[in-house]
Amino acid sequence: MELTASDELVALENMDVLRRNGFEVEEVGEDDEVRQGARLRLIAQPVSKSTTFDMKDLEELIHLMRDRPTGQMVRCSKARAMFAMRACRKSVMVGMPLNKHQMSTVVNHMGTMNQPWNCPHGRPTMRHLLDLQNPVAAVSHKLERQIDWSKFVS
């Protein structure tokens, strides 16, 4: 691999993080004959279903690791997007019927999140149904409205 000397040093210090991200990197040699920036060799790169990671993703990981303590886990943007998409597809969707226990579980889990009002893609996860400041007025307003069922009959 062709890396700058500083990128190479970051990669050497964080080989475990690279491995946990699916990049298998080995050190070619430590002797003086191997020039700076060429001491690492990429052996394997990750593939997950239809998502393939490349050198650009490895370079992004190295860049992200520069600003973090040695050994702290980071993920490239492609991996974060892939995980977010998979999490979203497995989640409760609008219109999905739930029993009372499932509803309670969803609400309890959302209560443990830092930002429960949006999914990882930014879609809203909640719907405003009632004004808790004046719930009686909100309910009575809806009860006052009369429906003319004759309009629906042809």
Side-chain angles (χ1 to χ4, degrees):
M1 295 184 338
E2 292 293 324
L3 298 172
T4 65
S6 62
D7 283 350
E8 187 176 74
L9 185 59
V10 169
L12 284 167
E13 291 173 346
N14 292 282
M15 296 280 270
D16 187 49
V17 176
L18 294 176
R19 194 171 296 110
R20 286 186 282 162
N21 275 282
F23 288 97
E24 290 292 329
V25 179
E26 75 175 2
E27 195 168 359
V28 174
E30 296 181 14
D31 55 347
D32 293 334
E33 293 178 21
V34 179
R35 65 180 170 75
Q36 285 281 31
R39 292 189 300 174
L40 296 176
R41 179 176 33 220
L42 181 62
I43 298 172
Q45 56 197 64
V47 175
S48 180
K49 293 191 179 180
S50 63
T51 306
T52 305
F53 297 87
D54 54 21
M55 278 301 294
K56 180 180 161 209
D57 301 307
L58 177 60
E59 289 167 358
E60 181 183 353
L61 281 173
I62 292 171
H63 176 75
L64 291 170
M65 288 187 291
R66 283 181 188 215
D67 301 330
R68 304 250 165 70
T70 300
Q72 184 177 0
M73 188 60 180
V74 295
R75 297 281 186 198
C76 66
S77 56
K78 189 186 287 185
R80 289 192 309 271
M82 178 189 71
F83 291 140
M85 179 63 75
R86 289 183 186 169
C88 232
R89 292 287 135 226
K90 301 259 186 217
S91 298
V92 176
M93 299 291 193
V94 172
M96 185 182 287
L98 301 175
N99 62 38
K100 190 172 185 176
H101 175 72
Q102 290 170 317
M103 289 183 226
S104 295
T105 301
V106 169
V107 171
N108 288 334
H109 285 158
M110 289 177 77
T112 65
M113 296 177 191
N114 290 334
Q115 298 180 5
W117 41 88
N118 291 79
C119 81
H121 295 104
R123 294 185 191 105
T125 58
M126 297 182 202
R127 173 86 173 129
H128 178 79
L129 299 175
L130 184 67
D131 182 4
L132 294 178
Q133 297 296 324
N134 196 357
V136 175
V139 172
S140 64
H141 170 71
K142 289 184 179 181
L143 293 176
E144 290 173 6
R145 187 175 65 184
Q146 296 296 319
I147 299 173
D148 183 5
W149 293 104
S150 64
K151 292 180 179 178
F152 294 99
V153 180
S154 46

